[in-house]
Each structure stands twice: as structure tokens, then as C-alpha cells.
Amino acid sequence: MRDKKFLRTVFDHIKSAHQGIERKNFQQEAGYISAVMGRLSGTIKDSKSNGTLEFKFDTVVVNDRGPGAAEKKYGADFAIVFKKQGVANGCTKAILGQAKNGQSDKLSENERSRLIEQCNKMYSHTADYIVIEAPQNGKLGPMVRIGDQQEQLRIGKNRISLEHYILNKLVGCNHGDRRDYFIEAVQDSSLSKLEIITNGLDLDLDLTLDGPSIEP
């Protein structure tokens, strides 16, 4: 069983990525999410394991400027790579993500169509994608909807906080793409290596659940 104190440290690290960031300071949601991603990136070590066990988060903000920008081509604003290192059951996995301003189901018709298109582009390379809903006021942090191709908007109906998504879904269960070549591809802001990576080709993945909810 994982140490509760260590999990609390991980949870607090994730939450601190958006605490103190004023949404009003960013005109576009992409700028706000970029700031959050920058603060999320880091390594947390478990003191009880003598520094052996560590959780590492690498974040990538996707190039969204100029002709052929990666965001327009692949539908993603960012990527998160999670690494559990120093233990026998370590793992590395990654997800793609898109940022939206406010609740996805309250978007204009044009923005809804654009979201569907962006999710379909991400899904063509991985089933493991999310949409982060940037808050529209200073009281709430970013909320997450997990990719779901069965839904009209290509995302789930349930909204969970960023910290609960990362701790209980990305870290705590099987959400996240474990293909080595996908993980390598998303660590470049151009995402150019995704061109040859198609969702569903690798059927030999270790999708064993790590256990139940690990919320501290």
C-alpha cells in the first residue's frame, strides 16, 4: 500500500500548480493552461524509500503559432508525461490534452464543432486524451473531462478537478498511453513524430490496474 503521506505530498504538488494563478491575468485559456503546466512539471520523491521511489511529471506546451502549427494539426494544446521510477512496478505513460474556456457543454455551436474536431484529431493518435476546462473566475481550479468517443462532444459528462484526475486516473489507474514511441513523440512541442503513430496499433500494453482510488 502506498504511503498516505507521500500521496498527500503528490496531491499538494499537483494542486499547487494552479493555486495562486489568477485566471484574470490570462486573456486566452491556452496561456492559463501553459502557466499551470509549467508549475506541474517536477519530481516528487518518497522520503520513506530513501529517495528511491519518485513520481516525475514532464509537461509539454504544444506549438500553436504559424502555418502548420502542431495544435491545429494534432488537436492538442499540451501533453503530460508521468513516470513512476525506482520501484519494480514502475511505469511511464502520457496523455494529450486540449484546453477550453469554461464548461465544454456550454460552448457556442462553432466552438463545440471545433472541440469535436480537436478530440477526433487527438484520438487518431491515442485514446488517452483529456479536455481541461479553464476556470472563468478565481474561485475554481481547472476541471478535467476524460476523452470518450461514445459521447457527442467526444469527452465524458463527468467533471473532476485536475488534481483528482492526475492522482486517481493518470497515476492511480490505467489512463495514459504506455507506448514508448508515443511517449517519446509527445515530448517535442512540434509533435511531428505523431505523424506516423496511429491509435490502436499496439495491442500488447500492460493495462493492469494499480489499485482503487488513492485520494489522500
Side-chain angles (χ1 to χ4, degrees):
M1 180 179 293
R2 292 188 180 93
D3 178 64
K4 285 285 186 179
K5 185 176 180 181
F6 177 56
L7 291 179
R8 170 54 65 181
T9 301
V10 175
F11 184 86
D12 290 344
H13 168 79
I14 301 166
K15 192 168 184 177
S16 69
H18 64 81
Q19 281 187 324
I21 296 182
E22 293 288 343
R23 178 67 179 89
K24 64 183 180 181
N25 293 339
F26 300 88
Q27 183 176 7
Q28 301 294 330
E29 65 273 13
Y32 170 81
I33 294 300
S34 294
V36 173
M37 290 296 111
R39 292 176 62 169
L40 174 62
S41 186
T43 301
I44 307 99
K45 295 187 177 183
D46 180 13
S47 58
K48 284 193 173 182
S49 67
N50 295 318
T52 301
L53 171 62
E54 62 180 35
F55 286 178
K56 183 177 182 182
F57 298 99
D58 293 320
T59 58
V60 178
V61 176
V62 173
N63 175 23
D64 65 349
R65 296 286 185 267
E71 189 275 338
K72 295 179 181 178
K73 194 170 184 179
Y74 301 106
D77 281 323
F78 62 89
I80 301 175
V81 178
F82 166 67
K83 300 176 183 178
K84 181 171 68 173
Q85 303 176 133
V87 289
N89 63 338
C91 68
T92 301
K93 46 189 177 178
I95 57 101
L96 289 176
Q98 171 62 224
K100 288 300 172 187
N101 193 31
Q103 292 187 218
S104 301
D105 51 7
K106 295 183 179 180
L107 297 171
S108 66
E109 185 174 343
N110 286 341
E111 280 297 306
R112 286 169 66 90
S113 297
R114 185 163 179 263
L115 174 60
I116 292 171
E117 180 183 5
Q118 290 166 324
C119 288
N120 287 339
K121 287 179 178 178
M122 290 190 287
Y123 182 71
S124 68
H125 301 288
T126 181
D128 296 283
Y129 67 89
I130 65 173
V131 170
I132 290 186
E133 300 174 344
Q136 294 181 298
N137 56 60
K139 296 181 180 179
L140 297 176
M143 303 296 289
V144 171
R145 300 202 196 209
I146 298 174
D148 185 346
Q149 286 286 301
Q150 302 303 311
E151 293 292 336
Q152 183 181 9
L153 287 178
R154 309 298 192 267
I155 53 175
K157 295 179 180 179
N158 294 328
R159 306 166 72 231
I160 57 176
S161 68
L162 177 64
E163 50 268 29
H164 283 87
Y165 162 73
I166 293 178
L167 191 62
N168 286 305
K169 302 299 182 181
L170 184 59
V171 172
C173 74
N174 63 355
H175 200 251
D177 196 320
R178 302 191 185 206
R179 295 175 295 171
D180 291 340
Y181 41 86
F182 175 80
I183 293 166
E184 179 185 358
V186 302
Q187 294 185 68
D188 184 331
S189 62
S190 72
L191 299 184
S192 59
K193 292 182 180 180
L194 281 182
E195 189 70 30
I196 59 174
I197 296 176
T198 304
N199 175 36
L201 288 184
D202 189 343
L203 301 180
D204 188 25
L205 297 180
D206 177 13
L207 297 181
T208 304
L209 292 179
D210 289 339
S213 170
I214 57 174
E215 177 186 352

